[in-house]
């Protein structure tokens, strides 16, 4: 029998190894940026096309490479950073294995130009799928430029595995942000599809955080500092009263590299203790400098993890550092309980005696079966909106969906001379609308009903590319964290269709000039946060998803809340608009909107429970 074991060809071995280091465009971005930082650059520019799928280019003004080094840098285990095994325990940074460039070159077309300072000519090197295609001297600036084209061009399976451009761009921005945050002394820029995304001048750390996350962070940050034996902690925490409801910004850096560490995260949260309002998260930017001998670097270089030899010690130092900072700066929190006083008012029982009757409903009863003989919507038009209730205007425009009006036979519609008798709608506890229908008493959840109406209106505008009406704003400037800002940018079209107009300015800034009609200006930030949150939760990347999610977020946010007093015409308008909806029975979140208590049930109730 002949031998059957063969060595894999280098090209295949390289591709397999590459898969571990480079999972997506963002991993290449991270490796290239870190190499530029290691090369001592003071300015680093990142250029990306199509979320890094067609081009990732990093240009630095660092030490550059000789012709020989340039050639060597693409070999696996080629590194200038470790000479002997002992060095592994002495290096201050992590993840030096000389694998990154070799991996990238195995799965992309790479063009490197590099020149050490002082040399006259540099080197231009082209490598495709681990194969050196050409190497020649060329004039270039001191430093290194590496262009990675068509990532995974020879590994279609991996290429197909990539997410949408929006999602991949988000990953790139996150990696860029991490490197830029911990290297404030280096100027960075990022350009995506020829458009500037970041321009970050050399600065102090606080200024760097502010230029990435927005000017509002200026007053939100407090320094943390603690020098202990073998460990040095510094950075900034966000004052608890500004804690975010979405996950917040949590950045740990160990010896200049971003890491995730749930255990240390706990140390910070713990230090904040009761200062954080419910359902909010601490935000922090903390550098941990530690003797490399005290960390275990035998963790895969692409993993953002690190094992401390004495994690409990680091925990204790960190916690005390944060506690001290909180104490020193006397962070008295202004806790915003975020409660609508109207909700409290709802539960106030003036007499203290009235018991709410229990209403039993026949679950099998179908209000939409059988009684459709008298079709036709009400011709009633509610009066022009007055006052500033944000939802009023929306009540009128329900018919622009062009959908069929009510399929329900409602008593008031039978009376041609008097389309609506105001008294036929009754509001229960500023929360439910009660009205007469043929078969009994109809109960409508006012908030859920309005949510359904708005949802269908927004969805219709989005799907048919018909912008909803809009109100002009005195321009409002908002800044978002980088990844969030990217979501807003990527949703420009659907947001515009929903009535938002905005321009992108500076690093992650936006100037809003218009918002959907009926929305309050004060709600703008909250609505956008909500949209960002639901985008982050999403896994699919279909356009339809974006529309639905956006319509849902807007509707949920803008719907009239329990506790709001409604006038009769407003109730009538909700009623009409609701039954002009495609699905009037359930809210976008799946909860029931409508129930009918049949007359027979009412009679029974009276007989059995009446007094
Ligand atoms: P590592 O960073 O782990 O050493 P890489 O594959 O990322 O491995 O890089 C290999 C080597 O190429 C580095 O050790 C360094 O000597 C050289 N190199 C890579 N990028 C640059 C750069 N931008 N400027 C100067 N030298 C670089
Ligand atoms: Mg490297």
């Amino acid at each position: 029998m002949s031998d059957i074991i063969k060595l894999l060809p280098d090209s295949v071995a390289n591709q397999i190894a590459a898969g571990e280091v480079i999972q997506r465009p963002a991993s290449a971005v991270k490796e290239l940026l870190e190499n530029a930082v290691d090369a001592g650059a003071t300015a680093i520019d990142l250029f990306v096309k199509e979320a890094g799928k067609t081009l990732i280019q990093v240009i630095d003004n660092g030490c550059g490479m000789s012709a020989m080094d340039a050639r060597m840098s693409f070999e696996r285990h080629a590194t200038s950073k470790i000479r002997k095994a002992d060095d592994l325990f002495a290096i201050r940074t992590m993840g030096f294995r000389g694998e990154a460039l070799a991996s990238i070159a195995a799965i992309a077309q790479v063009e490197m130009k590099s020149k050490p300072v002082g040399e006259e000519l540099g080197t231009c090197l082209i490598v495709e799928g681990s194969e050196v295609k050409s190497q020649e001297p060329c004039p270039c600036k001191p430093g290194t430029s590496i262009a990675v084209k068509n990532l995974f061009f020879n590994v279609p399976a991996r290429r197909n595995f990539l997410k949408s451009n929006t999602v991949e761009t988000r990953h790139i921005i996150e990696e860029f942000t991490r490197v830029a945050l911990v290297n404030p002394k280096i100027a960075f820029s990022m350009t995506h599809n020829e458009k500037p995304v970041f321009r970050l001048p050399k600065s102090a750390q606080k200024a760097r955080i502010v230029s990435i996350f927005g000017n509002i962070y200026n007053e939100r940050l407090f320094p943390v500092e603690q020098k202990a034996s073998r460990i040095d902690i510094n950075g900034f925490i966000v004052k608890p009263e500004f804690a975010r409801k979405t996950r917040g910004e949590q950045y740990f850096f160990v010896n200049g590299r971003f890491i995730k560490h749930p255990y240390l995260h706990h140390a910070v949260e713990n230090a904040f203790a009761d200062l954080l309002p419910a359902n909010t998260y601490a935000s922090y930017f903390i550098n941990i400098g530690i003797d490399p001998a005290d960390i275990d670097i035998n963790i895969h270089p692409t993993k953002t993890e690190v094992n401390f030899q004495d994690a409990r010690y680091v925990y204790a130092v960190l916690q005390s550092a944060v506690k001290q900072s909180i104490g020193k700066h006397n962070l008295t929190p202004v806790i915003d309980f975020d409660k609508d006083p109207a909700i409290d008012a709802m539960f106030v029982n003036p007499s203290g005696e009235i018991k709410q009757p229990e209403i039993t409903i026949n679950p099998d009863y179908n209000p939409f079966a059988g009684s459709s003989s008298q079709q036709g919507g009400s011709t009633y038009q509610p009066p022009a909106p007055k006052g500033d209730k944000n939802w009023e205007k929306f009540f009128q425009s329900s018919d622009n969906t062009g959908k069929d009006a009510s399929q329900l036979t409602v008593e008031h519609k039978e009376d041609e001379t008097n389309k609506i008798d105001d008294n036929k709608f009754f509001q229960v506890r500023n929360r439910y609308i009660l009205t007469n229908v043929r078969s009994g008493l109809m109960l409508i959840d006012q908030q859920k009903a309005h949510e359904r109406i708005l949802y269908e209106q927004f969805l219709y505008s989005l799907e048919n590319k018909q912008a909803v009406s809009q109100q002009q704003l005195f321009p409002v400037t908002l800044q978002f964290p980088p990844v969030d800002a990217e979501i807003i940018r990527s949703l420009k079209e659907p947001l515009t269709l929903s009535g938002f107009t905005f321009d992108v300015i500076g690093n992650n800034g936006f100037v809003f000039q218009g918002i959907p009609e009926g929305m309050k200006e004060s709600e703008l930030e909250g609505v956008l946060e909500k949209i960002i949150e639901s985008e982050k939760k999403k896994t699919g990347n279909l356009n339809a998803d974006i529309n639905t999610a956006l319509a849902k977020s807007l509707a949920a946010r803008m719907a009239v809340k329990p506790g709001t007093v409604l006038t009769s015409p407003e109730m009538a308008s909700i009623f009409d608009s609701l039954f002009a909806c495609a699905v009037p029975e359930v809210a976008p979140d799946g909860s029931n909107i409508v129930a009918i208590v049949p007359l027979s049930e009412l009679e029974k109730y009276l007989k059995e429970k009446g007094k």
Side-chain angles (χ1 to χ4, degrees):
M1 207 181 156
S2 62
D3 302 328
I4 52 166
I5 296 180
K6 290 201 183 70
L7 274 177
L8 284 173
D10 268 2
S11 59
V12 177
N14 276 339
Q15 279 183 18
I16 293 170
E20 279 186 40
V21 185
I22 308 298
Q23 281 116 8
R24 52 175 12 130
S27 351
V29 167
K30 168 182 188 271
E31 296 296 339
L32 296 178
L33 291 176
E34 288 185 347
N35 279 349
V37 170
D38 293 339
T42 57
I44 300 175
D45 298 306
L46 167 67
F47 297 87
V48 176
K49 281 198 181 134
E50 287 184 63
K53 292 173 185 172
T54 52
L55 176 78
I56 298 163
Q57 183 174 22
V58 172
I59 303 178
D60 70 57
N61 63 355
C63 64
M65 281 173 270
S66 68
M68 184 62 166
D69 281 353
R71 175 68 193 79
M72 277 296 287
S73 69
F74 287 103
E75 294 297 326
R76 193 158 297 280
H77 308 303
T79 173
S80 57
K81 297 162 197 172
I82 304 170
R83 310 253 158 211
K84 48 188 194 315
D86 270 0
D87 288 347
L88 277 174
F89 301 96
I91 47 167
R92 289 209 70 83
T93 46
M94 298 169 291
F96 291 141
R97 298 185 165 204
E99 276 181 318
L101 284 187
S103 299
I104 293 171
I107 41 127
Q109 299 154 339
V110 181
E111 185 187 286
M112 173 196 277
K113 285 183 180 169
S114 192
K115 191 179 87 161
V117 193
E119 296 287 320
E120 212 158 282
L121 273 184
T123 306
C124 178
L125 193 81
I126 294 175
V127 189
E128 283 184 25
S130 301
E131 236 179 86
V132 179
K133 294 282 174 182
S134 76
Q135 174 164 20
E136 39 197 48
C138 76
C140 57
K141 284 196 217 147
T144 304
S145 154
I146 300 181
V148 177
K149 293 174 193 161
N150 304 318
L151 200 68
F152 301 126
F153 80 104
N154 52 355
V155 206
R158 267 215 113 82
R159 204 182 164 83
N160 295 338
F161 209 68
L162 293 177
K163 297 270 166 58
S164 71
N165 284 1
T166 321
V167 172
E168 294 300 338
T169 306
R170 243 185 268 163
H171 285 287
I172 292 176
I173 288 179
E174 188 58 44
E175 293 294 352
F176 176 92
T177 303
R178 291 170 182 176
V179 178
L181 273 175
V182 74
N183 294 290
K185 299 262 144 51
I186 302 174
F188 282 92
S189 79
M190 174 174 166
T191 307
H192 188 200
N193 293 334
E194 259 104 53
K195 289 204 195 83
V197 182
F198 289 98
R199 294 283 176 269
L200 307 172
K202 165 186 187 282
S203 63
Q205 175 160 29
K206 185 176 174 187
R208 173 59 51 92
I209 297 171
V210 169
S211 60
I212 293 176
F213 289 92
N215 288 332
I216 38 169
Y217 273 74
N218 224 341
E219 312 105 66
R220 296 187 178 184
L221 296 171
F222 261 133
V224 178
E225 250 180 295
Q226 180 102 38
K227 276 194 184 20
S229 96
R230 308 202 318 274
I231 177 168
D232 179 357
I233 286 171
N234 67 72
F236 291 87
I237 53 174
V238 172
K239 295 184 204 176
E241 68 260 38
F242 295 114
R244 283 168 48 115
K245 294 210 171 69
T246 51
R247 235 185 42 78
E249 316 302 337
Q250 286 130 15
Y251 291 92
F252 282 128
F253 301 96
V254 171
N255 295 346
R257 295 289 204 258
F258 172 85
I259 60 146
K260 284 186 186 141
H261 209 294
Y263 180 61
L264 292 188
H265 172 73
H266 187 257
V268 179
E269 295 250 278
N270 232 353
F272 274 96
D274 309 330
L275 294 177
L276 284 176
N279 301 319
T280 63
Y281 298 87
S283 289
Y284 50 82
F285 309 87
I286 293 177
N287 305 307
I288 301 169
I290 187 162
D291 189 325
D294 291 342
I295 53 180
D296 177 3
I297 57 147
N298 260 336
I299 270 188
H300 196 276
T302 60
K303 295 260 164 65
T304 47
E305 285 159 30
V306 66
N307 280 342
F308 296 94
Q309 227 116 80
D310 190 352
R312 288 165 77 182
Y313 174 66
V314 182
Y315 185 104
V317 176
L318 182 61
Q319 188 177 21
S320 112
V322 176
K323 271 193 174 155
Q324 271 188 37
S325 167
I326 292 172
K328 204 190 287 172
H329 296 281
N330 209 354
L331 304 183
T332 9
V334 183
I335 296 175
D336 162 22
F337 283 103
D338 200 28
K339 215 184 200 174
D340 184 349
I343 293 176
D344 274 341
M346 250 170 56
F347 295 107
V348 174
N349 189 340
S351 71
E353 302 222 298
I354 301 165
K355 262 205 349 226
Q356 208 159 336
E358 281 168 37
I359 299 177
T360 25
I361 292 161
N362 173 7
D364 298 328
Y365 184 80
N366 180 356
F368 304 101
S371 56
S372 57
S373 56
Q374 299 207 326
Q375 283 223 358
S378 161
T379 53
Y380 172 79
Q381 286 293 318
K386 47 189 185 315
D388 63 354
K389 281 181 227 159
N390 67 351
W391 35 267
E392 269 181 337
K393 294 168 186 165
F394 277 88
F395 291 171
Q396 301 172 74
S397 50
S398 66
D399 275 336
N400 68 7
T401 59
K403 286 179 193 117
D404 269 358
S406 169
Q407 297 169 356
L408 265 185
T409 308
V410 178
E411 264 185 51
H412 74 255
K413 288 181 182 164
E414 290 173 22
D415 182 356
E416 287 294 319
T417 53
N418 181 13
K419 296 287 183 197
I420 275 195
D421 174 348
D422 273 3
N423 294 326
K424 292 216 161 134
F425 293 99
F426 181 77
Q427 201 184 11
V428 185
R429 293 268 159 149
N430 299 335
R431 183 173 194 161
Y432 298 108
I433 299 167
L434 266 188
T435 191
N436 264 316
V437 291
R438 267 213 150 166
S439 47
L441 201 53
M442 180 186 272
L443 187 67
I444 301 171
D445 182 317
Q446 66 184 44
Q447 177 184 17
K448 293 296 167 194
H450 194 209
E451 210 173 307
R452 162 58 61 187
I453 296 163
L454 291 173
Y455 169 73
E456 291 201 7
Q457 283 172 1
F458 279 117
L459 197 60
Y460 182 85
S461 323
L462 286 164
E463 283 174 351
N464 297 284
K465 304 215 179 297
Q466 269 179 27
V468 302
S469 49
Q470 191 190 53
Q471 70 199 40
Q472 296 298 306
L473 285 187
F474 192 75
V476 176
T477 308
L478 292 177
Q479 229 161 346
F480 287 95
V483 169
D484 297 4
E486 177 58 23
I487 292 175
I488 300 289
R489 283 193 294 266
S490 71
L491 293 180
K492 180 140 195 178
E493 196 200 325
L495 282 172
T496 308
L497 286 170
S498 316
F500 296 91
T501 36
F502 60 92
D503 291 316
V504 180
I505 49 153
N507 302 314
N508 309 314
F510 300 88
V511 184
F512 281 84
Q513 282 119 1
I515 53 177
E517 189 172 38
M519 198 175 114
K520 280 189 201 137
E521 187 185 322
S522 58
E523 285 177 330
L524 174 59
E525 201 169 351
V527 169
L528 294 171
E529 291 257 0
K530 175 117 192 163
I531 291 166
I532 290 167
E533 210 180 316
S534 74
E535 269 300 285
K536 281 184 179 165
K537 279 195 211 122
K538 250 171 43 190
T539 43
N541 305 304
L542 296 169
N543 261 341
D545 279 1
I546 292 180
N547 291 344
T548 324
L550 191 59
K552 265 191 195 164
S553 303
L554 287 168
R557 198 73 202 195
M558 288 167 63
V560 50
K561 299 289 175 295
T564 311
V565 182
L566 299 176
T567 63
S568 285
E570 284 164 355
M571 289 190 274
S573 177
I574 287 193
F575 181 89
D576 285 348
S577 304
L578 179 65
F579 290 103
C581 282
V583 190
E585 309 91 327
V586 277
D589 65 4
S591 52
N592 291 336
I593 299 174
V594 187
I596 291 182
V597 189
L599 211 57
S600 55
E601 286 295 322
L602 285 176
E603 278 162 10
K604 216 169 92 194
Y605 189 86
L606 189 65
K607 272 198 194 126
E608 289 170 10
K609 308 248 167 105
K611 282 174 191 150

